[in-house]
Amino acid sequence: MKKKSHDLMERRRFLALAGQGICLCALGGLAGAACSDTYCQSGRDYYLKPARMWKKLEGGQVKCGLCPNGCVLDDGDRGVCRVRKNIKGSLYTLVYSRIAAAHVDPIEKKPFFHFLPGSTAFSVATAGCNIACKFCQNWELSQSNPEDLDAERIGPDDLPRRARAGGSKVIAFTYNEPTVQFEYILDASAEARRRGVRSVIVSNGFIRPEAGKMLARGLDAVKIDLKAFTEDFYVNICAGRLKPVLDNLVAVHSTGKWMEIVVLVIPTLNDSPSEIRKMTSWVRKNLSPDVPMHFTRFHAMYKIQNLPPTPVSTLERCRIIAKEEGIRYPYVGNVDGHRWENTYCHGCGKMIIRRSGFYHVENGLRSGACPYCKTKIPGVWM
Amino acid sequence: MPLLQDEDSRGVDVTAAGRRVMAIAFFMGLAAAVSQVILVRELLAFCRGNELIIGVILSSWFLGIYLGARFNPAGDGQALERRVLVSLFMLPLAMAASVYGARAVQVLLPRTVGTFYSFGAEMALALLFTAPVSFFIGFFFPPLVSLASAEMKDRAGGAVFYAESMGSFAGGMAFSFILVAIANPLAIASGLFMAALLLIAWRGNKQFLPLVLACLAVILVSGTIEKKIFTAVWNRTHTGKLVRYQRTKYQIVEIESTGDTVSVYGDGILMYTLPDRYEARGIFHVVNALLGERRTVLLMGSGPGSLLHNLLKTGISRLSYFEHDPDLWDMVYPFRKRMYRDDVPAKLRVVPGDLRHYLAESGERFDMIISLPPAPENIMLNRFYTRDFYALCKRRLAPGGIFVTSLHGFSDYLSADRKNYIASMYRAFAAEFPRHLRSSGETIYLAGAAEEGVLPESGEALIKRYERNMPLPAGRFEREMTDNFSPSEMRAYFERTQLDYFAAVMGPLVKTVNENRDLQPGAYWKNIVLSAFREGSAFHVLVRGFPLLLVIVAVLAGIALWDIGRKHGRRRLAAGFMIFSTGIVSISVMLVMIVLYQNAHGIVYYRISLINALFMLGLALGSFAATRWERLGLTAILACLPAAAGAILASTWAGADFFFWGLLVIFSFLCGAVFPALFAAAGPGAPLESASVLDAMDHMGAIAGAILTVMVFLPLLGIRGTILLNMGIAVPALAVSCLMSMRKE
């Protein structure tokens, strides 16, 4: 018996020592990570600007008021979005003029189908996002810290010039969640307008309505990703919430800016007919039947790597439901060559804009109206 | 009734008792080999199937054996016999529980549909489902050696090890040639359980015999039971309904139906969906634009859907479609026939087998070779992204021929991990095809030719060339290919700013990054790093910080050896150290052999059991020889081990296939000879302790070897570097042996 208890003690000691060894190694790793975080504070100061939409709290804390996350931050902390930081009791943006990606894309790729069809958009992005969708196409931008990305400085003055140099009359704030770059977009869109360049945004809509309205006033068009029409989806798949997005949709729409909505249809997660029906009915009643809705095809992306693409028949069904609910311009997206990527007049039903992918657009409109029945087609055509 | 004594206890039949010990050891070895390969196959269907997870599964396997062997307290004869009996019965039960438990865990630990568990979770689950099975393999060994030593004295360890190894060999062969095609894990587990019952009954414990009938009944209905379990789990965890599943020689194929589509999965990973008409539109037109007057085409990796179907309707005279798993074509063909409403036309030749192996052996040349493989998630797939493969394809192009392949691209931004990943493959391609056409987008298509002037100068030139062929013949192709089509649609594949961005980023990087090679499978590892980055988990730190893992392994090994030295003395410490080193080397080299086989032949999963079996044969022969032939001294064995590894290294240059099997057996022979030689040297007076220490440290070395090989050695050093390193690791063991010999003298 003595020997057995002696053996037991030895086993415990062995396991304890092994555990201590592993903990030491783990601490070493954490120390390395902490050092890295300290190092990042010596980043580029010219990207640092005082933020807007926040308030001071007791004890050096700040509360960000940009998005519904409403992060309360201690000194040195960053928000969920990773790009707004409390520095000694004041909130700063870390990404003012910080551009990590810049490309010239066809406007249809955003997708905007009723905004200057056939034109190109100088599309820019930075790091960060205030939610975390498991199917994010640009996760390397949206789920990164700004200091982890290669970036260049494009000030509000430079942006319109760069757009024109690329042959674009439109600037698109896109790829990651652009509203986290709130201050920059306000300034850059104002400057662009002064120079005759238009601005659009491609956003998740998860922003406070007052901030959404401020942004929208400076822009020419807004495209919102309506991820789903259930809180469950937003919470479990996107780490966000649906209601604030809906509130923001109403607020932005009230500014009169051109709006289009995209719904990425993901098999079994947000594609049920009842959900689509509720969604499209809500859009018609609370926004307008003229708001185009794009039901786009999902492909394996980011963390959802092992799911088949959305069946085309599912997208077609979404489009049919949208039509039944009174949406005048529902589209099927990410299905090059599908007839429902074309635009059909809501008056006479004839095809008025033919699209073959993003790069082939035959626009048959005459002064923004159907060439056949003269119905005014909603959109921004010039 | 005692297990290892005759009924007449007054006169124990020594030879019969010895035979029973050997029979039990043989059976446990057989059951172990079969269980291990089943677990590897089945767990790969639920984890991502790559060498990292194989290494983790093997490590978990050895960890279980280590725990079973190490925590084996002393006991009297009856206690020891009980442990052996418990192990006999529990091994098959634990195996079945693990296989079906791994399926059930997807219901118990639900994840968002279409996602994978994190690497950390996969490793934890691999450990959870593997170690309890292998625990019994470690648990039975020391007591059986102790029981055998009454008769066999200091030969007991070697004899039991030899019998166990022979059983493993037999199990590996049986699985490789018989069981792989005909039985499911439930039936196999029932069969093993039944064999255990009969083994016990052989010596008088007949009260368990009625259970044999129960086992037979389970075998008969095992197919139905398994189908119900698999279907229930699948339908709860996937988007579609499971309509068909089958274990082929190479993988577990599952076909689900969602509305009007079917999706085909191999080992749980989505391969393709049918119909894929709109999906194939873009690549079809790019290929069709390049095709021109070319007549003979080879196609791999797109699935048997729209691209295949529409290529057959162009002007080509022959299309060779490669399907590595012949059973897969047969399973999918009825669905395909319903969707594409065609039979297999005369100009389609379906070639079952590995493309690389075929191209290397056949010498046939093609006007166009189209290789669109899945991402290099394992070394088998990595082979389709190496310079060696691209060089082979170049040699197999007919004059004026074009090679088209794909890489995973990017959406708008290239992160550091993605850059490195793409650069290693792109560099390999550009080295063979310095003048090539490259597209943009989330899939990058590359087109190369062996001669100059064959390819258009740019994407724009390709589009203009295609425009001259418009309109496409009416009604020839699928409507989804031609409706609304304009060649300018193809500009989506050649977006200027995306192409320029790629060139600007890759330009300097391709000069510094290692190109992806068969013997330096960098892209495979970088894909794992990228996947870990995508998860945003702590695992990313581990895979980027190689020294961390080495330190962890060194610390744990140091603690284990110190513990042995304190409890069992310096002699056993030295023996423990030596067998720890050879344990690392044996598994590391075996993993390298698996990779080498895979490089040459493609899918290895149905051959893992054969490689394992021959390895076990070598172990058995080595332990037999060392037990019987005292001249085969420890120092000589340890000196030959690095030499054998060196021969394997040399074979990577020679490239001759027939060396492979011979070298495998020779190397494992030497590894097998180590245990009996050490057992004799380490502790003839205390067989239980000696067997426990040696078996435990052998398997601890195997754990270290498995995990370090897949996570550190292969990624850092490649295949040749890993073999060289293993030669180096064997040297300290040799040094200690020499020291021990000198001290004895």
Side-chain angles (χ1 to χ4, degrees):
Chain A
M1 285 299 292
K2 252 193 179 173
K3 197 171 182 203
K4 271 193 182 172
S5 80
H6 173 72
D7 284 346
L8 193 62
M9 290 291 289
E10 295 304 320
R11 273 202 290 279
R12 280 188 189 150
R13 192 156 178 210
F14 170 80
L15 290 169
L17 281 167
Q20 281 164 30
I22 293 172
C23 285
L24 273 170
C25 293
L27 278 169
L30 282 171
C35 288
S36 155
D37 193 52
T38 308
Y39 175 76
C40 82
Q41 288 186 17
S42 64
R44 305 270 191 267
D45 286 341
Y46 46 69
Y47 297 133
L48 201 65
K49 275 269 183 177
R52 297 172 69 163
M53 308 290 294
W54 63 279
K55 67 179 180 192
K56 248 185 182 15
L57 298 178
E58 298 287 328
Q61 284 187 328
V62 304
K63 183 175 166 73
C64 180
L66 182 61
C67 83
N69 284 323
C71 300
V72 174
L73 305 173
D74 291 327
D75 182 30
D77 283 352
R78 299 189 193 195
V80 163
C81 62
R82 306 165 193 254
V83 302
R84 293 164 80 79
K85 186 173 179 181
N86 178 352
I87 300 177
K88 295 188 178 21
S90 293
L91 189 66
Y92 287 81
T93 171
L94 303 177
V95 288
Y96 192 90
S97 300
R98 187 181 194 127
I99 301 300
H103 298 287
V104 175
D105 291 336
I107 198 76
E108 280 78 11
K109 198 176 175 186
K110 300 292 110 186
F112 278 106
F113 277 15
H114 288 232
F115 185 86
L116 306 180
S119 65
T120 60
F122 184 67
S123 305
V124 294
T126 187
C129 183
N130 50 10
I131 58 176
C133 302
K134 290 181 181 174
F135 47 87
C136 184
Q137 185 182 5
N138 284 293
W139 60 274
E140 282 154 292
L141 291 166
S142 70
Q143 305 303 311
S144 290
N145 295 319
E147 62 273 18
D148 294 336
L149 305 181
D150 299 327
E152 62 173 314
R153 187 181 178 201
I154 305 182
D157 296 348
D158 285 329
L159 196 52
R161 184 186 55 75
R162 288 281 296 266
R164 287 201 183 277
S168 301
K169 290 183 239 176
V170 181
I171 293 166
F173 300 97
T174 177
Y175 303 149
N176 72 309
E177 174 47 41
T179 57
V180 302
Q181 215 176 13
F182 181 75
E183 295 76 14
Y184 176 69
I185 292 177
L186 284 177
D187 294 345
S189 57
E191 186 60 32
R193 178 161 287 171
R194 271 200 288 280
R195 298 190 189 201
V197 177
R198 302 199 212 199
S199 308
V200 302
I201 198 170
V202 176
S203 168
N204 61 25
F206 192 64
I207 188 173
R208 288 196 190 276
E210 53 274 26
K213 278 163 126 170
M214 279 176 73
L215 273 179
R217 286 190 196 107
L219 298 165
D220 296 279
V222 174
K223 192 225 83 182
I224 302 287
D225 267 305
L226 187 53
K227 314 280 182 185
F229 212 66
T230 60
E231 284 292 348
D232 258 352
F233 183 99
Y234 264 88
V235 168
N236 295 321
I237 309 294
C238 298
R241 280 176 286 141
L242 169 63
K243 183 154 187 324
V245 174
L246 298 180
D247 292 342
N248 187 43
L249 277 167
V250 171
V252 168
H253 191 257
S254 72
T255 65
K257 297 295 172 169
W258 179 249
M259 176 187 279
E260 299 193 29
I261 290 176
V262 162
V263 183
L264 182 69
V265 181
I266 306 174
T268 73
L269 293 182
N270 65 354
D271 66 343
S272 73
S274 61
E275 182 173 344
I276 300 297
R277 198 168 288 281
K278 282 184 197 155
M279 177 195 289
T280 48
S281 171
W282 184 93
V283 168
R284 179 178 55 77
K285 288 175 190 160
N286 293 276
L287 303 179
S288 162
D290 289 340
V291 172
M293 292 188 75
H294 305 260
F295 298 97
T296 59
R297 191 177 201 190
F298 161 84
H299 292 91
M301 196 62 68
Y302 191 26
K303 294 185 179 181
I304 305 187
Q305 290 278 321
N306 207 33
L307 199 61
T310 318
V312 175
S313 55
T314 301
L315 300 173
E316 290 169 346
R317 184 185 70 215
C318 292
R319 196 258 185 191
I320 290 168
I321 291 171
K323 266 289 197 188
E324 286 170 359
E325 289 300 318
I327 299 296
R328 287 180 171 159
Y329 294 95
Y331 294 98
V332 161
N334 283 352
V335 187
D336 287 354
H338 196 283
R339 68 186 189 283
W340 286 339
E341 284 201 325
N342 302 323
T343 300
Y344 299 87
C345 172
H346 72 268
C348 63
K350 290 202 167 74
M351 183 167 67
I352 50 179
I353 302 177
R354 180 180 164 238
R355 294 183 184 85
S356 175
F358 299 135
Y359 279 89
H360 187 87
V361 178
E362 293 171 16
N363 184 359
L365 263 65
R366 305 261 166 79
S367 303
C370 172
Y372 305 103
C373 69
K374 312 291 184 253
T375 302
K376 269 282 183 220
I377 308 299
V380 177
W381 308 110
M382 285 188 295
Chain B
M1 175 65 65
L3 176 66
L4 295 171
Q5 292 178 17
D6 249 336
E7 284 181 2
D8 180 358
S9 60
R10 285 171 301 176
V12 173
D13 182 339
V14 170
T15 307
R19 276 203 296 273
R20 285 192 288 278
V21 164
M22 301 294 267
I24 290 168
F26 182 90
F27 170 77
M28 287 300 284
L30 185 147
V34 170
S35 300
Q36 186 195 60
V37 73
I38 285 177
L39 279 175
V40 168
R41 275 171 63 99
E42 297 297 318
L43 292 181
L44 285 182
F46 131 94
C47 304
R48 279 160 279 194
N50 56 41
E51 283 70 18
L52 177 67
I53 294 296
I54 290 179
V56 170
I57 292 171
L58 286 177
S59 299
S60 306
W61 180 264
F62 297 130
L63 178 64
I65 298 176
Y66 167 81
L67 292 172
R70 189 73 187 91
F71 298 113
N72 222 301
D76 60 17
Q78 275 198 328
L80 296 177
E81 286 187 9
R82 258 200 306 275
R83 273 178 229 167
V84 173
L85 273 175
V86 161
S87 300
L88 272 174
F89 289 123
M90 285 304 297
L91 177 57
L93 289 177
M95 185 264 278
S98 281
V99 167
Y100 297 101
R103 291 272 168 173
V105 90
Q106 296 172 72
V107 175
L108 298 171
L109 294 177
R111 50 192 169 174
T112 303
V113 68
T115 59
F116 293 108
Y117 290 116
S118 67
F119 279 114
E122 285 183 351
M123 288 181 185
L125 290 167
L127 180 66
L128 179 68
F129 288 114
T130 308
V133 180
S134 59
F135 176 86
F136 296 105
I137 299 161
F139 195 59
F140 96 94
F141 187 84
L144 196 66
V145 167
S146 187
L147 290 168
S149 65
E151 175 193 338
M152 298 177 195
K153 305 288 184 269
D154 59 354
R155 287 171 38 223
V160 171
F161 186 80
Y162 156 70
E164 188 191 6
S165 301
M166 283 305 291
S168 293
F169 166 67
M173 296 298 277
F175 190 92
S176 207
F177 294 105
I178 304 168
L179 298 177
V180 69
I182 62 172
N184 65 46
L186 185 59
I188 293 173
S190 301
L192 289 172
F193 194 82
M194 193 167 67
L197 289 170
L198 292 171
L199 197 57
I200 300 307
W202 178 28
R203 273 317 307 148
N205 294 65
K206 293 187 170 52
Q207 67 260 38
F208 298 117
L209 269 180
L211 287 175
V212 168
L213 292 170
C215 291
L216 280 170
V218 170
I219 290 173
L220 287 171
V221 300
S222 59
T224 307
I225 295 173
E226 186 176 79
K227 189 174 177 182
K228 282 197 184 325
I229 295 173
F230 280 19
T231 305
V233 169
W234 186 277
N235 293 348
R236 283 187 67 168
T237 57
H238 290 75
T239 55
K241 300 285 174 218
L242 187 67
V243 294
R244 184 109 190 257
Y245 86 91
Q246 183 176 322
R247 284 192 179 77
T248 72
K249 266 168 53 177
Y250 304 120
Q251 59 191 328
I252 300 172
V253 177
E254 285 141 327
I255 300 178
E256 72 170 5
S257 164
T258 311
D260 55 356
T261 62
V262 290
S263 298
V264 181
Y265 294 74
D267 285 339
I269 310 252
L270 178 66
M271 292 196 286
Y272 49 79
T273 298
L274 298 175
D276 61 342
R277 299 183 174 105
Y278 287 104
E279 292 294 301
R281 176 172 165 125
I283 180 57
F284 167 72
H285 286 296
V286 169
V287 167
N288 199 29
L290 288 166
L291 200 54
E293 298 303 315
R294 291 170 181 84
R295 290 287 170 256
T296 57
V297 176
L298 179 157
L299 174 64
M300 187 214 60
S302 68
S306 275
L307 181 61
L308 171 68
H309 180 75
N310 286 282
L311 278 176
L312 287 168
K313 295 186 183 305
T314 61
I316 61 172
S317 58
R318 188 77 178 271
L319 194 154
S320 303
Y321 174 73
F322 275 78
E323 177 53 76
H324 65 272
D325 187 348
D327 291 329
L328 180 59
W329 173 265
D330 293 338
M331 284 176 76
V332 172
Y333 181 70
F335 299 97
R336 185 182 179 281
K337 192 174 174 183
R338 223 186 310 142
M339 288 168 186
Y340 292 97
R341 298 185 195 285
D342 65 6
D343 211 332
V344 177
K347 56 180 170 177
L348 173 64
R349 178 179 65 150
V350 179
V351 184
D354 180 67
L355 172 64
R356 279 198 60 163
H357 196 243
Y358 181 88
L359 287 177
E361 301 295 312
S362 79
E364 190 178 346
R365 300 176 99 184
F366 300 88
D367 293 329
M368 185 178 269
I369 296 175
I370 307 169
S371 168
L372 305 172
E377 291 168 342
N378 54 52
I379 293 181
M380 198 277 288
L381 292 171
N382 182 76
R383 297 153 67 238
F384 296 106
Y385 292 93
T386 63
R387 185 166 177 183
D388 313 80
F389 174 64
Y390 296 142
L392 178 60
C393 289
K394 193 172 165 182
R395 288 197 299 276
R396 294 292 177 258
L397 288 175
I402 292 179
F403 172 61
V404 177
T405 189
S406 60
L407 307 176
H408 271 210
F410 64 100
S411 287
D412 310 306
Y413 180 79
L414 280 161
S415 62
D417 287 331
R418 189 179 291 274
K419 266 190 266 195
N420 288 330
Y421 165 55
I422 296 176
S424 68
M425 297 180 286
Y426 182 62
R427 181 176 175 171
F429 180 87
E432 288 302 319
F433 299 99
R435 265 176 283 284
H436 55 267
L437 199 59
R438 173 171 51 80
S439 78
S440 59
E442 281 164 24
T443 301
I444 294 172
Y445 293 104
L446 299 165
E451 296 121 5
E452 289 202 26
V454 170
L455 291 171
E457 288 290 319
S458 63
E460 201 57 42
L462 180 72
I463 293 167
K464 286 192 164 32
R465 180 203 280 188
Y466 204 38
E467 277 168 350
R468 292 197 283 274
N469 292 338
M470 293 295 112
L472 295 168
R476 180 190 278 187
F477 303 113
E478 285 183 307
R479 186 176 55 82
E480 288 84 354
M481 296 294 130
T482 55
D483 269 6
N484 229 15
F485 177 71
S486 162
S488 53
E489 187 178 307
M490 292 158 65
R491 289 199 169 86
Y493 286 95
F494 301 103
E495 294 184 304
R496 183 79 262 142
T497 55
Q498 300 267 358
L499 289 172
D500 291 345
Y501 172 66
F502 183 90
V505 168
M506 285 292 155
L509 192 56
V510 291
K511 293 182 182 126
T512 54
V513 79
N514 287 331
E515 65 186 13
N516 194 32
R517 301 294 300 251
D518 286 354
L519 294 178
Q520 188 95 30
Y524 143 73
W525 181 250
K526 290 176 173 67
N527 183 56
I528 288 181
V529 174
L530 180 61
S531 300
F533 173 47
R534 185 186 293 130
E535 278 177 13
S537 68
F539 185 71
H540 187 229
V541 173
L542 199 64
V543 293
R544 278 182 139 223
F546 295 113
L548 184 63
L549 196 56
L550 276 167
V551 166
I552 291 175
V553 168
V555 163
L556 289 174
I559 292 169
L561 285 168
W562 169 80
D563 186 52
I564 286 168
R566 240 173 34 85
K567 277 178 68 179
H568 303 289
R570 283 189 357 197
R571 196 175 184 77
R572 290 205 181 90
L573 168 62
F577 172 78
M578 282 189 275
I579 205 164
F580 174 76
S581 304
T582 58
I584 291 178
V585 170
S586 64
I587 292 308
S588 184
V589 170
M590 189 181 87
L591 281 171
V592 163
M593 298 293 274
I594 289 174
V595 171
L596 284 172
Y597 182 89
Q598 198 165 241
N599 270 339
H601 297 279
I603 292 191
V604 75
Y605 297 130
Y606 80 112
R607 281 288 176 250
I608 280 183
S609 54
L610 179 61
I611 292 171
N612 204 34
L614 289 173
F615 195 86
M616 286 296 154
L617 175 66
L619 286 182
L621 294 175
S623 66
F624 181 81
T627 304
R628 296 295 166 118
W629 191 29
E630 282 170 12
R631 279 201 195 170
L632 195 61
L634 181 64
T635 304
I637 295 165
L638 291 173
C640 288
L641 206 55
I648 295 171
L649 178 65
S651 75
T652 64
W653 276 286
D657 231 1
F658 61 82
F659 283 139
F660 179 87
W661 302 108
L663 284 170
L664 181 68
V665 175
I666 290 169
F667 183 82
S668 56
F669 175 94
L670 291 165
C671 294
V674 167
F675 188 97
L678 270 176
F679 183 82
L688 178 70
E689 278 186 20
S690 296
S692 169
V693 164
L694 290 176
D695 201 36
M697 290 314 295
D698 183 25
H699 287 98
M700 193 174 202
I703 295 166
I707 206 84
L708 288 175
T709 300
V710 296
M711 289 190 65
V712 181
F713 300 163
L714 281 176
L716 269 183
L717 306 170
I719 288 169
R720 288 185 181 137
T722 298
I723 300 173
L724 265 172
L725 178 67
N726 280 302
M727 289 166 70
I729 290 172
V731 166
L734 175 62
V736 170
S737 174
C738 291
L739 210 61
M740 274 175 72
S741 306
M742 278 162 53
R743 283 214 174 148
K744 225 196 283 186
E745 282 158 15

